[in-house]
C-alpha cells in the first residue's frame, strides 16, 4: 500500500496569476529537494479558482519524514507555502488515504482533475 495526501483549496479570483507563479516554484522545489514524494499531481486553478494537489508517498514513514524534513531543513519550501496563504479563500482542506500501487494510473485514466498534471518519479 502507498500513502497519499490530497489538498484542496480555492484561489481568490484577483490572485490567479500570482498563485500560478508560486505553485510552479513549489512544484519545482519539491521535485528537486524531496525524494520522499513518489508522485505529485497538481490540478487547477479551474475557472472557479479551485485547486488540488495530490502527493503519493511509498509509505507512511516516508510521508512523516517529508513533513518533518520540510519543517526543519527546507525553509525555502516553507516560505513558498507561506506566500500562497494570501491568495487562498477560506481554508485548505487536507485528506489522507491509503491506495494500491496502481492508484496513479487509475487516477490518470479516469481523467480526474481540473487542470494540468505534474508528475514526479513516475513512468505512467
Amino acid at each position: 500500500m502507498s500513502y497519499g495526501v490530497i489538498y484542496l483549496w480555492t484561489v481568490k479570483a484577483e490572485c490567479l496569476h500570482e498563485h500560478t507563479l508560486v505553485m510552479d516554484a513549489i512544484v519545482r522545489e519539491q521535485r528537486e529537494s524531496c525524494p520522499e514524494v513518489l508522485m505529485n499531481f497538481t490540478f487547477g486553478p479551474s475557472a472557479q479558482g479551485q485547486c488540488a494537489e495530490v502527493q503519493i508517498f511509498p509509505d507512511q514513514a516516508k510521508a512523516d519524514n517529508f513533513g518533518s524534513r520540510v519543517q526543519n531543513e527546507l525553509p525555502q519550501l516553507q516560505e513558498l507555502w507561506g506566500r500562497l496563504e494570501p491568495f487562498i479563500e477560506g481554508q485548505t482542506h487536507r485528506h489522507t488515504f491509503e491506495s494500491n500501487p496502481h492508484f496513479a494510473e487509475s487516477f490518470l485514466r479516469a481523467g480526474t482533475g481540473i487542470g494540468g498534471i505534474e508528475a514526479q518519479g513516475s513512468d505512467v
Side-chain angles (χ1 to χ4, degrees), residues 1-2 4-5 7 13 16 19-20 27-28 31 33-34 37 42 48-50 71 77 79 90 92 98 101 118 122-123:
M1 285 290 183
S2 58
V5 182
Y7 298 93
L16 291 174
H19 174 273
T20 299
V27 170
R28 187 169 49 252
R31 284 181 170 171
S33 307
C34 303
V37 181
T42 56
Q48 295 77 33
Q50 297 165 324
Q71 196 167 28
L77 195 45
E79 180 184 329
T92 298
E98 287 186 359
E118 299 285 346
S122 168
D123 35 8

Side-chain angles (χ1 to χ4, degrees), residues 3 57 59-69:
Y3 176 83
F57 299 89
D59 52 49
Q60 176 73 55
K62 290 274 196 307
D64 292 344
N65 186 59
F66 169 75
S68 64
R69 207 168 63 75

Side-chain angles (χ1 to χ4, degrees), residues 69-81:
R69 207 168 63 75
V70 165
Q71 196 167 28
N72 296 315
E73 299 173 27
L74 296 171
Q76 67 275 25
L77 195 45
Q78 286 281 57
E79 180 184 329
L80 284 168
W81 284 340

Side-chain angles (χ1 to χ4, degrees), residues 9-12 15-16 18-27 51 53 77-89 92:
W9 68 95
T10 302
V11 182
K12 296 175 184 174
C15 300
L16 291 174
E18 294 89 347
H19 174 273
T20 299
L21 294 176
V22 175
M23 269 312 290
D24 287 349
I26 287 172
V27 170
C51 295
E53 181 174 9
L77 195 45
Q78 286 281 57
E79 180 184 329
L80 284 168
W81 284 340
R83 283 178 52 197
L84 276 183
E85 289 177 17
F87 307 148
I88 295 173
E89 274 183 14
T92 298

